[in-house]
């Protein structure tokens, strides 16, 4: 791996989140400077900031893109206790000439009484739905019933998690066999010995979300959760950022006919657990096909994890700062070694551990 | 044997101090974005807020101080102010694999793709187990693609003036060299699977192919004024002998002999030894035992020459003779000329164990490697890989290659080929086919990050029975739909594979995009392809609005040729039918037009808010000289008008009527025209009946 390009982000304070759009042609950045910036990639691979605007009156924690089926839509959440939905409109021709685009606020979601810590769009097969979670322990699910009118959002569900919430992740599976499911993580440090990851599942019968599972073994504060793409499997894979990186397998148990109305029960298996970040892990995220998991932690590194074909997980790559603080204008040496094997691409060590089967 | 190094690869991100800050990241389709940040628990804010007077938290405030104005008055804020403004200057794009961006290697990917697809077909078409010649030829095809690519890179490296680029090309050449070397050995050992005797011939070919500098040197020597005097003369002769190229060595020696009449006898003797060395030919009539006997005789003769001092006065000839008898120390002393342990191995086999069995190979390989390599330097990854091949440990070869090489290209294609040869199943019954698929999926996923190579990946995914389809689904929907042309290309791939959801999604995205850019025609045709009724309704509505305000339709071609697609949504049906009316009217087919117009209202196809427009459209028909609407039809029209005005009256009861002035005039006009037409129609109909 190598740094191919460095983009001067020009935020006046810390960046908290960077998010690619569905096709990887645009990205959005958000910062403590209360603004969101949108960047577009040119044919030649350069990134240009095409919009920058003040979005909130507090730090913007997260920014996320809706599926392009719904247009060019962003959602942001902030310490100012709100989440907001933004839509790009095709601007005046002179705007286009200047390479700028217009984003207008379609709605502000003001239901939370505390910092809104995460915002995620639901999988597109559920329609245009937005989920927030907040420090007061409530997960809120909003829906835009008319996808052509993004100024109307109705609060469909409020899930009280009883713990300060830090992160949410939708199960992306669109299989009919899997009802909508969301994992909620909590970084509440005031309560110990409680499972900090809860799984909620939607029931067609009650039309409500009900708790399906609590991962009781995860008792330390959780900072991020991420469901892996389902790949047509019957079970689900969930990555968790807590004091270490953990990967869980959730295997739905066959429903007894008598209790078919209740939420699905799961057999929870831990697949991997890594404490290489030394202390807290803050973010976990899967690549498109979930062959790689990336995590960021207190060691200041991003670590890449990969399973071989026997499902043995292993760290295959580390991204870390070069130790020079502040100015990042230094060159970007492309790291390509010689045939001796020094150039193993980070993602490639995956076959290690196969000796188990030999 | 030693395992190759498997430590994770560290990539340094410039300008970030990992000791002070966190490194944030975001996944992209082909790369990873990283940025400096600082994570803190947000949930604890609440508790901190309550307790801030007792336990001021410095770090917390430096972090949050600028976030909200109501803390601006707190003293802590000012303390932290210094460290703020430590903004994040850069977002770094970290890329995984740069090989696919090399235009020369792109050829490798393109051409090997065809070979791959060809190989997959063999499986289906040839049922018999006897496919070995085909597999060998495919293996050779793969290797020739590597070689072609290598040559092109070499030329590029020479011709470029950019030193970094030249180094990069040079590195890629050395990788491809290693790849070809390993592939060739795997071909010899696993695919050819030559028996004792023939095995050594193949190994010799393998060594000769990869130690081709002898030929260059020989060329140089022969082209010099006096080859015999050339400083590399003996070098060439000995290298020929080490590679078992007896005839070439003998010819070289002849030149020397003609220059030294005194030594003619010794040279003649050497010539005999060289040319008489028995060579095992597997296709021949000779049995292995016969060959063995003859070879031993020859070997003894060489030994005798050494013992009786035939070459004692000619050090170079004596050296050659010592090589011929396979003297270990002499061979090891030729380290420079052999350059690698596997050359040493093959030479040693040639002069000591010419009918080595495949099963014995690993023993000699290990021993040769131990003897040849410096104890302190130890084996390089390439050495381990070759050794694993000599041990017939295919699995280890694949594993080590995927760790040591920077591209999945090699392991994916080699494994696929070995799998077709049924070598993986017998070797590792349980997960043989999974290994193949795992590697192909990785390779194809890498291709998918490239703006044009992704199309090759589709075929690879197609031949991965377990996860190929899901991977393709996940990857293909991420292909940027920059142009309509590209969207159609992506769509076709999805349609061919009955990926209904992806087809729908792509069309939906394109429809949405077209609508954003006010290209109504394109938006409509995409939403028809997406079978998205709601969206088609919305766009039809826009078309009708456009008509109402401009009096014309855009994208007539599309609307005129809707056909059965019209049935997707009611509004679309109406749009199509309404346009049909305009066409009939334009063609002066008034009666048909009138019938259609009326039916649009009576059959409730037209939305109510459009009725007034339709009735207005009826006006010119009513005003025509000949009667077009029959009495019955006129009654219907009147009923429609009354229905509409009754509705309106109910709705507008509490609204001032000024703005409806025009509307009222229109209604008056219509009533008048309808009444007049009714009168004419009754008269006309009555007249005809009589």
């Amino acid at each position: 791996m190598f740094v191919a390009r460095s983009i001067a982000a020009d935020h006046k304070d810390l960046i908290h989140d960077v998010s690619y759009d569905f096709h990887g042609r645009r990205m959005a950045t958000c910062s403590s400077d209360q603004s969101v910036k949108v960047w577009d990639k040119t044919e030649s691979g350069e990134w240009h900031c095409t919009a920058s605007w003040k979005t909130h009156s507090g730090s913007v924690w997260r920014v996320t893109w809706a599926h392009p089926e719904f247009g060019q839509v962003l959602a942001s959440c902030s310490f100012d206790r709100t989440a907001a939905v933004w839509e790009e409109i095709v601007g005046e021709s002179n705007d286009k000439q200047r390479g700028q685009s217009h984003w207008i606020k379609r709605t502000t979601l003001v239901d939370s009484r505390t910092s809104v810590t995460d915002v995620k769009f639901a999988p597109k097969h559920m329609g245009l739905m937005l989920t927030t979670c907040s420090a007061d322990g409530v997960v809120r699910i909003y829906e835009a019933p008319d996808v052509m009118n993004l100024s109307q959002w109705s609060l469909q569900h409020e899930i009280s998690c009883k713990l300060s919430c830090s992160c949410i992740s939708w199960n992306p599976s669109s299989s009919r066999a899997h009802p909508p499911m969301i994992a909620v993580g909590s970084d509440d440090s005031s309560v110990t010995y409680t499972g900090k990851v809860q799984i909620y599942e939607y029931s067609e019968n009650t039309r409500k979300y009900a708790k399906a599972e609590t991962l009781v073994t995860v008792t330390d504060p959780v900072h991020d959760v991420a469901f892996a793409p389902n790949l047509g499997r019957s079970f689900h894979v969930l990555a968790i950022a807590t004091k270490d990186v953990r990967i869980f397998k959730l295997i739905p148990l066959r429903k007894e006919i008598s209790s078919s109305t209740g939420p699905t029960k799961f057999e929870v298996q831990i697949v991997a657990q890594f404490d290489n970040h030394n202390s807290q892990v803050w973010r976990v995220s899967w690549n498109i096909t979930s062959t790689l998991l990336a995590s960021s932690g207190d060691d200041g590194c991003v670590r890449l994890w990969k399973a071989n074909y026997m499902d043995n997980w292993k760290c295959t790559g580390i991204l870390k700062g070069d130790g020079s603080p502040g100015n990042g204008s230094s060159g970007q040496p492309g790291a390509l070694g010689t045939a001796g094997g020094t150039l193993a691409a980070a993602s490639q060590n995956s076959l290690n551990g196969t000796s188990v089967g030999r | 044997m030693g395992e190759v190094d498997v430590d994770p690869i560290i990539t340094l991100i410039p300008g970030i101090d990992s000791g002070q800050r966190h490194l944030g990241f975001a996944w992209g389709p082909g790369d990873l974005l990283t940025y400096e940040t600082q994570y803190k628990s947000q949930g604890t804010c609440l508790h901190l807020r309550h307790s801030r007077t007792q336990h001021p938290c410095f770090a917390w405030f430096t972090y949050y101080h600028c976030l909200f104005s109501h803390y601006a008055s707190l003293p802590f804020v000012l303390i932290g102010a210094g460290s703020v403004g430590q903004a994040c200057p850069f977002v770094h794009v970290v890329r995984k694999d740069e090989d696919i961006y090399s235009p020369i290697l792109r050829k490798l990917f393109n051409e090997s793709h065809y070979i791959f697809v060809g190989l997959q077909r063999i499986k289906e078409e040839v049922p018999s187990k006897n496919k070995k010649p085909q597999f060998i030829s495919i293996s050779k095809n793969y290797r020739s693609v590597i070689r072609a690519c290598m040559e092109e890179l070499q030329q590029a490296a020479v011709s470029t003036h950019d030193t970094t680029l030249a180094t990069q090309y040079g590195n890629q050449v050395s990788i491809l060299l290693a790849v070809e070397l390993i592939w060739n050995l795997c071909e010899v050992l696993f695919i050819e699977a030559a028996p004792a005797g023939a095995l050594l011939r193949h190994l010799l070919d393998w060594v000769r192919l990869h130690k081709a500098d002898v030929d260059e040197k020989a060329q140089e020597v022969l082209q010099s004024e006096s080859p015999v005097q050339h400083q590399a003369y003996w070098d060439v002769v000995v290298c020929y002998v080490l590679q078992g190229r007896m005839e070439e060595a003998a010819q070289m020696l002849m030149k020397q002999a003609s220059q030294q009449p005194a030594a003619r006898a010794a040279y003649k003797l050497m010539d005999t030894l060289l040319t008489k060395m028995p060579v095992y030919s597997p296709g021949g009539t000779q049995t292995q035992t016969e060959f063995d006997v003859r070879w031993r005789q020859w070997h003894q003769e060489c030994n005798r020459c050494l013992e009786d001092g035939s070459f004692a006065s000619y050090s170079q000839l004596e050296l050659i003779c010592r090589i011929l008898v396979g003297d270990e120390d002499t061979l090891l002393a030729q380290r420079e000329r052999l350059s690698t342990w596997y050359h040493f191995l093959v030479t040693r086999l040639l002069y000591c164990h010419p009918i080595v069995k495949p099963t014995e190979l690993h023993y000699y390989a290990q021993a040769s490697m131990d003897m040849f390599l410096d104890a302190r330097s130890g084996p390089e990854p390439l050495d381990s890989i070759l050794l694993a091949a000599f041990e017939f440990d295919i699995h280890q070869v694949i594993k080590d290659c995927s760790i040591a090489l920077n591209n999945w290209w090699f392991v994916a294609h080699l494994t696929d080929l070995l799998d077709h040869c049924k070598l993986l199943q017998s070797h590792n019954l349980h997960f043989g086919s999974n290994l193949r698929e795992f590697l192909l999926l990785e390779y194809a996923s890498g291709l998918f990050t490239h703006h044009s190579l992704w199309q090759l990946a589709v075929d690879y995914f197609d031949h991965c029975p377990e996860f190929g389809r899901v991977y393709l689904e996940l990857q293909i929907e991420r292909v940027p739909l920059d142009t309509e042309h590209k969207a159609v290309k992506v769509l076709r791939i999805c349609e061919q594979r009955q990926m209904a959801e992806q087809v729908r999604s792509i069309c939906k995205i394109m429809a949405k995009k077209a609508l954003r850019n006010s290209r109504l025609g394109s938006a409509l045709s995409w939403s028809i392809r997406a079978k998205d009724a709601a969206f088609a309704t919305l766009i039809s509505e826009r078309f009708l609005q456009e008509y109402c305000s401009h009096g014309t339709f855009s994208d007539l071609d599309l609307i005129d040729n809707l056909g059965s697609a019209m049935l997707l949504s009611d509004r679309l049906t109406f749009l199509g039918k309404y346009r049909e009316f305009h066409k009939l009217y334009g063609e002066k087919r008034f009666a048909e037009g009138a019938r259609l117009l009326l039916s649009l209202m009576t059959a409730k196809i037209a939305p109510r808010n459009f009725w007034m427009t339709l009735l207005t459209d009826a006006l010119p028909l009513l005003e025509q000289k000949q009667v077009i609407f029959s009495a019955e039809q006129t009654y219907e029209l009147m009923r429609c008008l009354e229905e509409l005005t009754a509705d309106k009256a109910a709705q507008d009861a509490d609204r001032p009527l000024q703005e409806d002035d025009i509307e009222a005039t229109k209604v008056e006009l219509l009533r008048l025209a309808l009444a007049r037409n009714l009168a004419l129609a009754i008269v006309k109909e009555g007249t005809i009946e009589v």
Side-chain angles (χ1 to χ4, degrees):
Chain A
M1 301 189 82
F2 67 105
V3 176
R5 202 177 282 278
S6 296
I7 306 150
D10 202 28
H11 272 292
K12 295 185 178 55
D13 208 328
L14 278 172
I15 295 176
H16 292 296
D17 199 15
V18 171
S19 167
Y20 258 117
D21 82 331
F22 189 73
H23 291 121
R25 284 309 181 91
R26 319 189 82 183
M27 68 168 171
T29 55
C30 67
S31 158
S32 268
D33 69 8
Q34 311 185 352
S35 74
V36 165
K37 287 177 196 275
V38 172
W39 305 76
D40 282 81
K41 196 175 174 181
T42 62
E43 283 290 313
S44 57
E46 288 159 58
W47 288 93
H48 291 292
C49 180
T50 53
S52 172
W53 71 100
K54 184 176 184 290
T55 47
H56 289 275
S57 52
S59 269
V60 189
W61 298 137
R62 301 253 199 175
V63 62
T64 185
W65 294 84
H67 193 277
E69 274 184 27
F70 304 111
Q72 296 299 305
V73 180
L74 279 173
S76 58
C77 69
S78 164
F79 192 86
D80 73 1
R81 309 170 189 186
T82 68
V85 176
W86 310 88
E87 186 174 24
E88 186 184 37
I89 52 163
V90 178
E92 305 293 310
S93 56
N94 57 350
D95 272 337
K96 265 191 179 164
Q97 275 160 13
R98 284 189 292 122
Q100 295 297 301
S101 65
H102 267 305
W103 288 80
I104 54 174
K105 189 192 271 188
R106 289 301 187 195
T107 194
T108 306
L109 305 169
V110 294
D111 301 281
S112 171
R113 278 172 291 134
T114 55
S115 171
V116 181
T117 50
D118 199 357
V119 63
K120 294 274 161 69
F121 284 100
K124 72 162 192 293
H125 65 267
M126 293 169 60
L128 185 52
M129 295 184 112
L130 188 67
T131 323
T132 63
C133 75
S134 47
D136 59 6
V138 182
V139 171
R140 293 181 177 85
I141 301 173
Y142 299 87
E143 183 175 18
D146 175 7
V147 296
M148 296 312 297
N149 179 6
L150 299 187
S151 45
Q152 275 179 24
W153 290 83
S154 57
L155 179 57
Q156 293 285 327
H157 303 279
E158 266 190 319
I159 308 168
S160 174
C161 299
K162 306 203 170 57
L163 287 170
S164 172
C165 300
S166 57
C167 51
I168 40 182
S169 174
W170 281 97
N171 181 354
S173 173
S174 60
S175 158
R176 283 172 197 281
H178 302 141
M181 184 201 283
I182 188 168
V184 185
S186 164
D187 59 356
D188 206 321
S189 50
S190 63
V191 191
T192 42
Y193 308 117
T194 326
K196 294 290 184 349
V197 175
Q198 300 172 30
I199 313 279
Y200 292 88
E201 195 185 71
Y202 182 69
S203 157
E204 280 292 347
N205 295 330
T206 60
R207 303 198 171 181
K208 279 199 168 76
Y209 281 84
K211 195 191 287 184
E213 196 66 55
T214 302
L215 302 189
V216 287
T217 55
V218 185
T219 53
D220 293 285
V222 167
H223 308 293
D224 204 7
V225 285
F227 270 110
N230 181 264
L231 301 181
R233 298 175 297 213
S234 61
F235 58 87
H236 313 294
V237 176
L238 182 68
I240 292 171
T242 172
K243 61 173 183 181
D244 46 22
V245 177
R246 289 188 211 183
I247 302 170
F248 284 96
K249 212 185 238 186
L250 304 174
I251 307 163
L253 296 175
R254 202 143 33 108
K255 282 186 181 177
E256 299 298 321
I257 298 150
S258 56
S259 65
S260 63
T261 50
T264 314
K265 288 292 160 206
F266 296 95
E267 183 192 335
V268 180
Q269 284 180 2
I270 185 146
V271 180
Q273 184 167 10
F274 302 106
D275 56 6
N276 306 48
H277 283 296
N278 299 328
S279 180
Q280 297 300 308
V281 182
W282 295 95
R283 282 284 213 275
V284 281
S285 173
W286 299 92
N287 69 347
I288 293 174
T289 48
S290 71
T291 49
L292 280 168
L293 176 73
S295 63
S296 174
D298 269 346
D299 59 351
C301 296
V302 171
R303 287 171 188 273
L304 301 176
W305 311 92
K306 184 162 181 60
N308 66 13
Y309 62 96
M310 295 185 64
D311 214 21
N312 292 327
W313 288 83
K314 191 173 156 39
C315 181
T316 64
I318 300 171
L319 307 180
K320 60 192 277 188
D322 66 357
S324 64
N327 89 69
S329 56
S330 58
Q332 308 113 28
L336 195 118
T338 51
T342 51
L343 46 89
S347 58
Q348 202 133 357
N349 293 350
S350 57
L351 280 161
N352 181 54
T354 48
S355 48
V356 177
R358 292 173 64 220
Chain B
M1 57 161 277
E3 289 227 330
V4 297
D5 186 35
V6 290
D7 279 344
I9 306 309
I10 295 173
T11 309
L12 293 180
I13 311 297
I16 293 175
D17 185 355
S18 282
Q20 301 292 313
R21 292 296 175 103
H22 291 130
L23 196 57
F25 68 92
W27 278 112
D31 44 27
L32 192 69
L33 297 176
T34 60
Y35 53 95
E36 187 180 75
T37 189
Q38 190 80 57
Y39 294 117
K40 278 281 177 281
S41 270
Q42 296 152 21
T44 51
C45 297
L46 282 180
H47 311 292
L48 281 168
R49 190 185 293 178
H50 298 311
S51 58
R52 67 175 186 268
T53 43
Q54 293 92 6
H55 311 287
C57 170
F58 182 77
W60 187 74
F61 278 112
T62 54
Y63 181 52
Y64 289 108
H65 86 279
C66 60
L67 309 187
F68 27 84
S69 48
H70 56 275
Y71 281 155
S73 57
L74 290 169
F76 306 110
V77 174
L78 301 172
I79 299 167
S83 72
V84 179
Q86 177 75 325
C88 322
F90 286 93
V91 173
H92 304 277
V93 180
V94 180
R95 216 180 261 161
K96 211 160 60 183
D97 190 341
E98 67 181 283
D99 271 359
I100 54 170
Y101 296 97
S102 150
I104 299 169
L105 288 181
R106 202 173 301 168
K107 278 187 197 156
L108 176 73
F109 302 139
N110 263 315
E111 285 174 30
S112 51
H113 163 254
Y114 289 110
I115 305 174
F116 171 83
V117 171
L119 174 58
Q120 312 308 310
R121 290 215 186 97
I122 284 184
K123 201 177 182 180
E124 296 148 24
E125 287 162 14
V126 184
S128 77
K129 267 197 132 185
N130 204 5
K131 300 179 211 162
K132 192 160 139 184
Q134 271 177 298
F135 290 140
I136 292 169
S137 115
I138 281 181
S139 178
K140 290 198 162 121
N141 287 344
Y142 276 128
R143 285 200 292 119
S144 72
V145 171
I146 302 175
R147 290 218 151 245
C149 198
M150 210 149 57
E151 275 161 30
E152 201 171 327
L153 278 169
Q154 234 145 10
Q155 276 171 4
V158 172
S159 58
T160 184
H161 298 296
D162 183 342
T163 46
T164 44
L165 206 60
T167 336
Q168 191 188 323
Y169 287 147
N171 287 335
Q172 285 172 339
V173 168
S174 58
I175 294 166
L176 288 182
L177 266 172
V179 160
E180 211 264 339
L181 178 77
I182 299 166
W183 191 305
N184 196 353
L185 184 62
C186 290
E187 180 185 304
V188 166
L189 296 177
F190 308 144
I191 304 172
E192 291 260 11
L199 176 64
L200 183 66
R201 305 317 306 171
H202 286 299
L203 288 176
L204 274 170
D205 288 340
W206 173 64
V207 160
R208 284 170 195 162
L209 189 63
H210 294 94
K211 189 81 178 62
D213 56 340
V214 189
D215 298 283
E216 283 166 38
K217 230 183 272 173
Q219 198 76 13
E220 202 183 300
V221 168
L222 290 171
Q223 279 166 358
S224 69
E225 274 178 33
S226 165
V228 181
Q229 302 295 319
H230 197 282
Q231 53 164 357
Y233 172 81
W234 283 108
D235 208 20
V236 169
V237 177
V238 175
C239 281
Y240 275 148
V241 175
L242 289 172
Q243 292 191 2
R245 296 160 75 165
M246 300 319 210
E247 270 177 38
E248 285 156 292
Q251 273 171 17
M252 224 33 170
L253 278 179
M254 291 286 263
K255 294 186 192 301
Q256 190 71 267
S258 60
Q259 302 271 312
Q260 299 184 31
R264 185 157 292 169
Y267 278 92
K268 182 82 194 140
L269 181 60
M270 179 51 76
D271 187 62
T272 318
L273 288 181
L274 288 176
T275 48
K276 285 211 173 145
M277 184 178 85
V279 175
Y280 183 78
S281 53
T285 48
Q286 192 180 36
T287 66
Q288 240 178 57
T289 335
E290 283 167 357
F291 168 77
D292 198 35
V293 171
R294 287 186 49 213
W295 189 83
R296 275 172 202 286
Q297 283 170 353
W298 173 82
H299 201 252
Q300 274 164 14
E301 212 176 312
C302 294
N303 259 320
R304 207 164 34 241
C305 292
L306 271 184
E307 279 159 20
D308 62 18
S310 305
F311 303 116
S313 3
Y314 312 99
S315 63
Q316 298 293 358
L317 292 184
E318 177 147 315
L319 168 70
I320 293 171
C321 196
R322 282 189 191 282
I323 294 173
L324 295 185
V325 298
D327 181 67
E328 228 156 60
D329 294 331
T330 310
L331 285 178
L332 276 173
Q334 298 302 308
R335 195 182 294 269
E336 296 272 304
R337 285 174 177 143
L338 290 165
S339 79
T340 59
W341 65 269
Y342 42 90
H343 192 342
F344 171 62
L345 161 72
V346 175
T347 307
R348 216 176 129 222
L349 291 175
L350 173 66
Y351 295 118
C352 300
H353 313 281
I355 41 176
V356 61
K357 293 191 190 99
T359 46
E360 300 163 344
L361 213 46
H362 72 98
Y363 161 74
Y364 296 115
Q366 180 75 61
S368 301
M369 195 171 104
D370 293 345
M371 270 189 266
F372 194 85
L373 290 184
D374 248 337
R376 61 189 162 80
S377 66
E380 294 269 312
L382 179 62
D383 301 322
S384 310
I385 293 166
L386 294 175
L387 188 61
F390 282 123
E391 287 170 342
F392 285 84
D393 191 342
I394 296 178
H395 199 257
Q396 189 70 32
V397 172
I398 294 167
K399 179 186 149 184
D400 286 356
C401 284
S402 43
I403 294 167
L405 297 162
N406 76 331
N407 194 284
W408 296 101
W409 178 88
F410 172 57
V411 272
H413 287 93
L414 181 66
T415 307
D416 174 56
L417 179 57
L418 295 177
D419 188 58
H420 277 95
C421 298
K422 307 273 178 238
L423 286 163
L424 292 178
Q425 275 91 333
S426 61
H427 203 259
N428 232 326
L429 208 66
H430 178 50
F431 40 77
S433 68
N434 283 349
L435 175 61
R436 169 190 172 273
E437 176 157 326
F438 177 87
L439 295 170
L440 286 177
L441 289 174
E442 288 292 343
Y443 173 63
S445 299
L447 288 180
F448 239 103
T449 62
H450 189 272
H451 62 88
S452 66
L453 290 174
W454 65 268
Q455 295 166 81
L456 305 179
V458 175
D459 284 317
Y460 288 91
F461 283 140
D462 280 348
H463 290 101
C464 293
E466 201 179 346
F467 286 114
R469 188 181 166 98
V470 191
Y471 269 59
L472 182 58
E473 285 174 356
L474 287 170
Q475 296 277 10
I476 201 149
E477 56 183 16
R478 303 274 179 165
V479 173
L481 307 168
D482 306 319
T483 59
E484 297 248 334
H485 177 71
K486 194 163 176 195
V488 169
K489 198 186 263 180
V490 175
L491 199 63
R492 201 174 304 134
I493 292 170
C494 295
E495 280 170 348
Q496 282 162 356
R497 287 158 186 80
Q498 280 95 43
M499 295 181 170
E501 173 49 29
Q502 280 68 26
V503 167
R504 193 201 57 76
S505 186
I506 290 164
C507 295
K508 182 80 202 259
I509 292 169
M510 292 307 287
K512 187 85 192 179
K513 209 162 141 184
L515 183 65
R516 261 167 56 80
N517 295 313
S518 309
R519 288 184 288 114
L520 286 185
S522 171
L524 181 60
S525 63
W526 281 113
S527 58
I528 289 170
R529 280 186 96 153
K531 300 196 175 55
D532 186 339
F535 209 66
T537 299
L538 187 117
I539 296 161
S540 309
E541 204 87 61
R542 290 278 174 94
F543 265 111
L544 294 169
Q545 273 168 24
E546 202 184 69
Y547 172 75
C548 288
S549 52
H550 297 100
T552 50
F553 283 110
S554 56
D555 301 285
L556 283 178
D557 255 9
L558 175 68
I559 303 172
D560 286 348
N561 296 301
L562 282 173
S564 62
M566 200 188 280
L567 301 173
L568 179 63
S569 98
D570 289 350
R571 201 54 43 88
L572 184 60
T573 314
F574 171 64
L575 175 66
K577 289 286 172 197
Y578 184 54
R579 165 61 197 153
E580 211 173 298
F581 160 74
H582 279 260
K583 241 165 55 179
L584 291 172
Y585 186 85
E587 292 163 9
K588 300 210 184 315
R589 292 154 71 184
F590 296 132
E592 284 168 79
R595 213 178 304 131
L596 177 59
L597 191 70
L598 186 60
S599 71
L600 285 177
M601 285 182 283
T602 52
K604 312 276 183 217
I605 297 170
R608 187 59 66 87
N609 60 10
F610 214 80
W611 280 24
M612 189 46 90
T613 313
L614 294 180
L615 288 166
T616 317
D617 283 332
L619 258 181
L621 289 173
L622 294 166
E623 313 264 278
Q624 290 286 327
K625 278 203 183 93
Q626 83 260 44
V627 178
I628 294 162
F629 286 104
S630 68
E632 198 183 333
Q633 285 175 323
T634 315
Y635 281 127
E636 288 280 1
L637 280 174
M638 290 170 128
R639 198 182 50 74
C640 290
L641 181 62
E642 286 320 305
E643 217 173 288
L644 194 62
T645 45
D647 271 7
K648 264 236 152 24
Q651 277 169 21
D652 301 348
D654 43 20
R655 233 201 315 162
L657 288 172
Q658 304 109 306
E659 60 186 66
D660 287 339
D661 271 359
I662 306 166
E663 202 70 20
T665 321
K666 226 186 235 175
V667 172
E668 285 307 309
L669 269 173
L670 269 170
R671 285 200 174 120
L672 184 64
L674 285 167
R676 232 187 260 154
N677 190 72
L678 183 61
L680 286 173
I682 290 171
V683 171
K684 188 183 166 204
E685 282 160 27
T687 313
I688 288 165
E689 263 187 46
V690 173

